[in-house]
């Protein structure tokens, strides 16, 4: 996509692609590097996605919906987005009824996501906030690879 943006002369979108790539690489290094090798971070449930309880999934989907609706232009309210994410995280964690391996696998995703949202909420610089938001978007992609 970045190459296409470069060919079309869309430097703003090409720069956004660079930020997404950097955030994804940062996330991978932070979460998957085990000092000598990359870890298989999440496991599937015998080749299938883990089932998240419906009463919890609604809050994940609300976060995803809010993130998709977040403007890509200069009219961004990162503090407001962080507040929305925190509110849904609070609802998600307070409605947790999962147990066993599915619960453990969800926590492998959720704990770093919460930490990333906490860090995001503290960023004042708009460009750095954009980068952290891109990381959060990547983390949501990871969620959808392993959970339903």
């Amino acid at each position: 996509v970045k190459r296409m943006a470069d060919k079309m002369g869309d430097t703003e979108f090409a720069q956004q692609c660079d930020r997404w790539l950097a955030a994804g690489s940062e996330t991978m290094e932070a979460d998957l590097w085990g000092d000598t090798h990359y870890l298989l971070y999440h496991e599937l449930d015998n080749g299938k996605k883990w089932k998240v309880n419906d009463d919890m999934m609604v809050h994940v989907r609300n976060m995803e919906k809010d993130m998709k609706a977040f403007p890509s232009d200069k009219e961004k309210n990162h503090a407001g987005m962080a507040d929305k994410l925190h509110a849904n995280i609070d609802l998600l964690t307070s409605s947790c009824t999962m147990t066993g391996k599915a619960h453990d696998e969800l926590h492998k995703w959720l704990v770093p996501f919460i930490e990333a949202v906490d860090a995001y909420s503290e960023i004042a610089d708009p460009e750095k906030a954009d980068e952290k938001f891109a990381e959060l978007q990547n983390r949501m992609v990871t969620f959808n690879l392993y959970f339903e």
Side-chain angles (χ1 to χ4, degrees):
V1 174
K2 181 192 183 305
R3 280 184 251 147
M4 185 171 51
D6 286 335
K7 279 192 177 231
M8 299 302 294
D10 189 345
T11 56
E12 185 176 328
F13 187 70
Q15 290 171 345
Q16 178 62 54
C17 291
D18 286 337
R19 288 191 295 271
W20 287 333
L21 180 61
S25 295
E26 213 174 276
T27 299
M28 189 172 89
E29 290 296 320
D31 292 346
L32 300 180
W33 183 247
D35 291 328
T36 59
H37 61 282
Y38 285 96
L39 306 170
L40 178 58
Y41 190 63
H42 296 287
E43 298 174 29
L44 290 170
D45 183 11
N46 295 313
K48 297 178 185 168
K49 294 181 180 183
W50 295 98
K51 176 74 174 126
V52 176
N53 298 349
D54 291 341
D55 55 335
M56 296 171 64
M57 184 60 99
V58 67
H59 306 297
V60 174
R61 294 298 177 225
N62 286 341
M63 287 189 284
E64 188 174 39
K65 184 180 78 177
D66 289 341
M67 291 171 75
K68 284 182 179 176
F70 195 62
S72 61
D73 58 16
K74 304 291 183 206
E75 299 300 317
K76 298 176 186 168
N77 178 356
H78 287 290
M81 175 55 68
D83 289 345
K84 286 181 179 184
L85 293 172
H86 275 125
N88 275 294
I89 288 168
D90 290 346
L91 292 168
L92 172 67
T93 56
S94 67
S95 65
C96 182
T97 56
M98 293 177 66
T99 59
K101 184 74 171 163
H103 179 264
D104 296 344
E105 288 300 315
L106 181 62
H107 272 255
K108 285 183 184 179
W109 173 82
L110 185 58
V111 171
F113 184 81
I114 292 170
E115 291 170 351
V117 171
D118 289 345
Y120 174 62
S121 69
E122 299 295 322
I123 299 172
D125 178 84
E127 190 170 309
K128 291 190 185 300
D130 285 345
E131 291 171 9
K132 185 56 85 170
F133 184 73
E135 176 191 327
L136 292 171
Q137 289 174 308
N138 288 333
R139 289 178 183 278
M140 195 59 73
V141 168
T142 299
F143 175 85
N144 286 304
L145 290 174
Y146 293 93
F147 302 96
E148 61 182 7

